[in-house]
Amino acid sequence: MGLSIPSHPASRLPRPLVTSFKWHPPEGPWIKVNTDGAYTGAPDRAGGEGVVRDWSGKLLAAFSTPLDAHSALEAELMAAHHGLELARVHEQPIWIETDSEQAAKLLNGFTWGPAHLRRVMARIFLFKRRYTMRASFIPREGNQAADLLAKMGLGQQCFLRFSAQTAPRPLKDIIRMEEMGIPNIRVRSEEHE
């Protein structure tokens, strides 16, 4: 048969696991807001970022801002609130996506969460009374546009708003790739499973 049997067992190296994640546009008339909050504990620095897009994936607005947050979850919720406020001027139902499962649950639920979140949750509850919104979780790889702004803006000193014309080139590139349906890839080794 021509098979050669090794005399010693071959060592099995961990194989990389590849998963693809796509950003999906909302169904009309919804607009989608992808947000990300960033927090570093020493020193207390936080930033919030978001991208507002329509049903075709076209950029309507984006923002990056410093935040007065004291936890990663608080930064995520504050970023979501900024994104909701930025999107409401379009007077359409708002679908917010965040890469924090806990933030998505709080945004959809009726609980206020831990005490340090009460201020931002009160603002979100008032928003939910006046506007149609829903929230969902998206893995970080599917939230590349907001994640890029988070990395860019953690050390910012003031609120920055971008339009389709003024957005940074790397952000425009990510949005164009997502409009074309090109997925983002996550690679991990088996040993992390």
Side-chain angles (χ1 to χ4, degrees):
M1 253 180 140
L3 293 173
S4 67
I5 300 173
S7 60
H8 55 79
S11 64
R12 186 176 174 270
L13 297 175
R15 294 179 309 190
L17 300 175
V18 178
T19 311
S20 67
F21 296 93
K22 270 188 176 180
W23 178 85
H24 296 281
E27 297 172 0
W30 290 79
I31 57 175
K32 190 177 268 191
V33 182
N34 286 83
T35 62
D36 193 12
Y39 174 77
T40 60
D44 244 4
R45 283 191 1 221
E49 298 72 31
V51 179
V52 181
R53 290 180 267 190
D54 69 9
W55 59 270
S56 69
K58 181 182 142 210
L59 177 66
L60 301 174
F63 73 94
S64 183
T65 186
L67 297 171
D68 184 23
H70 304 288
S71 72
L73 180 57
E74 187 177 18
E76 293 283 355
L77 291 167
M78 291 175 89
H81 182 256
H82 278 286
L84 291 168
E85 288 295 330
L86 188 62
R88 75 181 168 94
V89 300
H90 298 285
E91 298 179 352
Q92 293 176 288
I94 302 167
W95 178 357
I96 192 155
E97 277 188 326
T98 174
D99 56 20
S100 166
E101 287 185 77
Q102 195 173 8
K105 285 177 186 173
L106 284 169
L107 288 166
N108 280 324
F110 299 100
T111 62
W112 290 61
H116 75 284
L117 302 178
R118 302 283 163 88
R119 185 182 62 186
V120 67
M121 287 305 298
R123 290 182 188 139
I124 290 168
F125 274 110
L126 288 174
F127 188 95
K128 286 168 65 170
R129 282 185 172 173
R130 296 171 43 207
Y131 302 98
T132 303
M133 68 154 282
R134 67 180 178 193
S136 62
F137 167 76
I138 186 169
R140 176 160 284 129
E141 290 79 7
N143 202 25
Q144 287 294 309
D147 190 53
L148 171 78
L149 289 174
K151 290 174 183 162
M152 290 172 53
L154 191 57
Q156 255 174 235
Q157 300 301 313
C158 63
F159 182 91
L160 295 177
R161 181 182 172 155
F162 305 104
S163 67
Q165 294 76 32
T166 62
R169 171 58 54 198
L171 178 60
K172 289 179 183 179
D173 293 343
I174 289 171
I175 288 172
R176 182 70 188 129
M177 288 174 39
E178 290 177 345
E179 277 181 296
M180 295 181 339
I182 298 172
N184 296 302
I185 306 296
R186 175 194 293 168
V187 179
R188 300 192 283 210
S189 64
E190 274 184 337
E191 62 195 35
H192 288 74
E193 288 298 305

